C-alpha cells in the first residue's frame, strides 16, 4: 500500500511541530510527509472578492489532490493547525489497508460538533449528501484523480469563489461518483479553529469548530476496525 501525507500549510504558520509528530508516528514506514504551502495574503482583496479562495484552492486541489496520483494508493491530508491522536497514522492505516483503491473513497478524520454526529451510533457515518470537512481526511487516488479532473474543468470563477468543502460537496452533487464517510471518535482536533487565516468564526451557528468527539489517546480495537471496514465495503 503506497501512502503519502500532505500538510495543508499557510506560510504564516509553522508546520514543523506537526511534521515532527507525523514522522515520529510513521517511523520506518515508507511514508513521506509533504508540506504544501499557500503563500496567499488573505483579505488584501475586498471581502466580497470572487477570488477569495484562490490560494487555498490552488494549494489543495492542485498541489495536494492533483499530485502523485500515479505513484500512490492513498493520501492523508491534514491542515497545519490540527492536533492529531497519538496513534493517528496507525488508526488511519488500519482503516484503509483492506479497502479497495479502484473505487473512489473519501474518509473524514475530523468530526465537527454537528447534531447528526452527536446523535449517530457506532464509529462510522456514511455521509450521503456530499458534506465534507477537509481539516483531516484520507482518500484513495481513484477519488483524487476524478476530483482533480472535475476541478480543473470548472470555470475559474467557480474554482475560487468557494472553499474546498463547498466544492467537494458540489462535485458529489454533480457526479455522485464517490463514497463519503466520517470516523468517530475524531482522530484529530481543530485546535486553532478560533484563529482562522480566512477569518472564519469559531462557531458555525451554535456549533463549535472544535470537535467534542476527540480523544488524544484513542486506539481502535480489532472488532471496531472490522466493523468499520466491513460497513464501508458494504456501501460500495
Amino acid at each position: 500500500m503506497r501512502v503519502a501525507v500532505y500538510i495543508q500549510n499557510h506560510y504564516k504558520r509553522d508546520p514543523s511541530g506537526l511534521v515532527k509528530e507525523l514522522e515520529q508516528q510513521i517511523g520506518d514506514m515508507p511514508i513521506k510527509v509533504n508540506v504544501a504551502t499557500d503563500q496567499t495574503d488573505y483579505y488584501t482583496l475586498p471581502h466580497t472578492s470572487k477570488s477569495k479562495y484562490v490560494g487555498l484552492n490552488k494549494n489543495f486541489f492542485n498541489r495536494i489532490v492533483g499530485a502523485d496520483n500515479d505513484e500512490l494508493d492513498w493520501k492523508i491530508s491534514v491542515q497545519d493547525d490540527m492536533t492529531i491522536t497519538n496513534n493517528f497514522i496507525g488508526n488511519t492505516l488500519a482503516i484503509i489497508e483492506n479497502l479497495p483503491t479502484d473505487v473512489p473513497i473519501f474518509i473524514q478524520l475530523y468530526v465537527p460538533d454537528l447534531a447528526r454526529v452527536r446523535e449517530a451510533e457506532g464509529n462510522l457515518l456514511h455521509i450521503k449528501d456530499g458534506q465534507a470537512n477537509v481539516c483531516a481526511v484520507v482518500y484513495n487516488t481513484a477519488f483524487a484523480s476524478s476530483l482533480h479532473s472535475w476541478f480543473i474543468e470548472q470555470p475559474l470563477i467557480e474554482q475560487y469563489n468557494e472553499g474546498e468543502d463547498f466544492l467537494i460537496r458540489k462535485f458529489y452533487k454533480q457526479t455522485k461518483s464517490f463514497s463519503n464517510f466520517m470516523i468517530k471518535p475524531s482522530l484529530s482536533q481543530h485546535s486553532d479553529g478560533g484563529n482562522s487565516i480566512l477569518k472564519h468564526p469559531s462557531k458555525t451557528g451554535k456549533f463549535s469548530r472544535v470537535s467534542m468527539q476527540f480523544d488524544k489517546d484513542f486506539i481502535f480495537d480489532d472488532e471496531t476496525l472490522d466493523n468499520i471496514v466491513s460497513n464501508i465495503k458494504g456501501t460500495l
Side-chain angles (χ1 to χ4, degrees), residues 1-8 31-32 34 59-78 88-89 92-93 96 101 105-109 136-148:
M1 181 171 63
R2 302 169 302 169
V3 180
V5 179
Y6 292 82
I7 296 177
Q8 303 173 57
I31 299 174
K32 182 180 179 181
N34 305 275
N59 197 38
F60 181 73
F61 288 101
N62 293 333
R63 295 194 63 198
I64 299 176
V65 173
D68 304 323
N69 289 331
D70 294 335
E71 302 170 13
L72 298 170
D73 300 310
W74 292 89
K75 296 181 182 181
I76 301 169
S77 176
V78 187
F88 176 81
I89 292 295
T92 303
L93 295 181
I96 65 175
T101 58
I105 299 173
F106 179 79
I107 302 174
Q108 303 175 52
L109 306 174
V137 295
V138 60
Y139 48 87
N140 59 21
T141 49
F143 170 84
S145 296
S146 58
L147 175 61
H148 185 245

Side-chain angles (χ1 to χ4, degrees), residues 100-159:
T101 58
D102 57 345
V103 179
I105 299 173
F106 179 79
I107 302 174
Q108 303 175 52
L109 306 174
Y110 170 68
V111 181
D113 185 29
L114 300 175
R116 68 172 166 184
V117 172
R118 294 196 306 269
E119 295 166 1
E121 297 181 359
N123 298 91
L124 179 74
L125 285 74
H126 185 194
I127 309 299
K128 300 179 181 180
D129 61 2
Q131 185 271 336
N133 187 299
V134 298
C135 290
V137 295
V138 60
Y139 48 87
N140 59 21
T141 49
F143 170 84
S145 296
S146 58
L147 175 61
H148 185 245
S149 296
W150 174 87
F151 174 75
I152 62 178
E153 291 171 358
Q154 303 308 300
L156 287 179
I157 191 68
E158 294 188 21
Q159 288 184 7

Side-chain angles (χ1 to χ4, degrees), residues 11 27 30 46 54 70 81 111 118 129 142 149 158 165 168 171-172 177 182 194 210 227:
Y11 81 96
V54 59
D70 294 335
D81 59 348
V111 181
R118 294 196 306 269
D129 61 2
S149 296
E158 294 188 21
D165 51 353
I168 292 173
F171 170 59
Y172 178 83
S177 63
M182 187 178 287
V210 176
N227 287 335

Side-chain angles (χ1 to χ4, degrees), residues 185-199:
S186 187
L187 300 185
S188 58
Q189 176 64 284
H190 198 181
S191 50
D192 204 24
N195 186 27
S196 171
I197 291 291
L198 285 165
K199 309 300 184 186

Side-chain angles (χ1 to χ4, degrees), residues 161-179:
N161 69 348
E162 295 289 350
E164 326 103 293
D165 51 353
F166 177 89
L167 288 170
I168 292 173
R169 191 177 306 131
K170 183 179 178 182
F171 170 59
Y172 178 83
K173 289 179 178 178
Q174 289 187 3
T175 67
K176 300 293 193 298
S177 63
F178 69 95
S179 296

